[in-house]
Amino acid sequence: MTGQDWMEKDFYAALGVPKDADDATIKKAYRKLARQYHPDQNPGDASAEAKFKEIGEAYAVLSDAKEREQYDAIRAMAGGGARFSAGPGGAGGAGFEDVFGGMFGGGGPGGARVRYSTGGQAGGFEDILGSMFGGAGAQFGGGPRPRAGADIAAATTLPFRQAVEGSTVTFTVDGRTVTTRIPPGVRDGQKIRLRGKGRPGLAGGPDGDLVVTVHVTPHPVFSLDGTNLRATVPVTFAEAALGATISVPTLDGTSVKVKVPAGTPSGRTLRVKGRGVQTAKATGDLLVTVQVAVPQKLSKAAREAVETFAAETDGQDVRADLVRQAAE
């Protein structure tokens, strides 16, 4: 994305957040809007699709600290989005040289023009433009130097299952269609760089890259931990205390039997080999965290049984280690 693009677009307004919003606020706003305008929720709605792309583009820049800093600097320099014109009478009134004249102490309207030259030094005015906008400025006194094309930022949102299994996504970049494979196990917020898919290089320079930020919709049961899948599974007190074999769902729609050893405490994690994310290099595991479920209501017989248990275990101090460690 070029500096000119950044000057014309207000990414903060696109996400509905203030310019001093922190990362958490920006992420929360993006997720809310992404769910609202996701194409799956608005089939056939071109305006919703355009809005979804707009907020994705905005989040891709504002979620990256370095790109956000550059974006803020360019917007501040340009007064929040003014377009540079090539000379007097251009859009916005002031010419390109007037903007830089104001920046470096030159004359504004009615004042003397400030001339810029390379002066025989390495670099020059074109290098300033190149560093600002990711492209090449005009060359003075000689042929153009090879310059790399600018990178382009994009974003996509995948359902959790597609993120685990991998997915193929398509982008429209400067009128071109770019299709790429998102690898299995991609994390929320992960950036994928597609070499040579950005803006064309100049004077034989390499093409820029397409940098895709991937967002993953949360799943109600599973979460990603590297190549492992995590799930929290409730068990009864009796199952945890006496031991049991329970049935645990897997992401592929089947289930697996998991043995809960007698005396398993709440919070212990049991590992099921090979039921995690499958990648070209490795296959992860399913990590099952046991959570002892406490009944909200007890029948009379159940209450009497619990009271009997309490009487039989009276005198056991389950918080003894806690008190000892707190005193250390």
Side-chain angles (χ1 to χ4, degrees), residues 94-166:
F96 187 79
E97 58 272 31
D98 293 323
V99 175
F100 279 89
M103 289 173 59
F104 301 117
R113 294 290 185 189
V114 178
R115 297 182 62 83
Y116 306 96
S117 64
T118 62
Q121 301 175 6
F125 189 60
E126 67 275 16
D127 294 318
I128 297 176
L129 295 180
S131 64
M132 287 172 55
F133 304 129
Q139 293 292 318
F140 299 93
R145 294 196 300 260
R147 291 187 181 273
D151 292 346
I152 298 177
T156 187
T157 298
L158 297 179
F160 185 85
R161 188 180 302 277
Q162 289 186 18
V164 170
E165 297 174 350

Side-chain angles (χ1 to χ4, degrees), residues 179-233:
T179 300
T180 187
R181 176 72 177 171
I182 304 296
V186 64
R187 304 181 306 278
D188 181 50
Q190 182 174 340
K191 295 182 183 297
I192 296 177
R193 182 176 293 272
L194 305 179
R195 299 289 181 184
K197 299 298 184 180
R199 298 196 188 281
L202 299 177
D207 294 345
D209 302 334
L210 176 63
V211 182
V212 180
T213 301
V214 181
H215 304 289
V216 180
T217 304
H219 193 278
V221 173
F222 301 100
S223 63
L224 274 173
D225 182 3
T227 58
N228 296 325
L229 284 173
R230 286 188 175 274
T232 298
V233 178

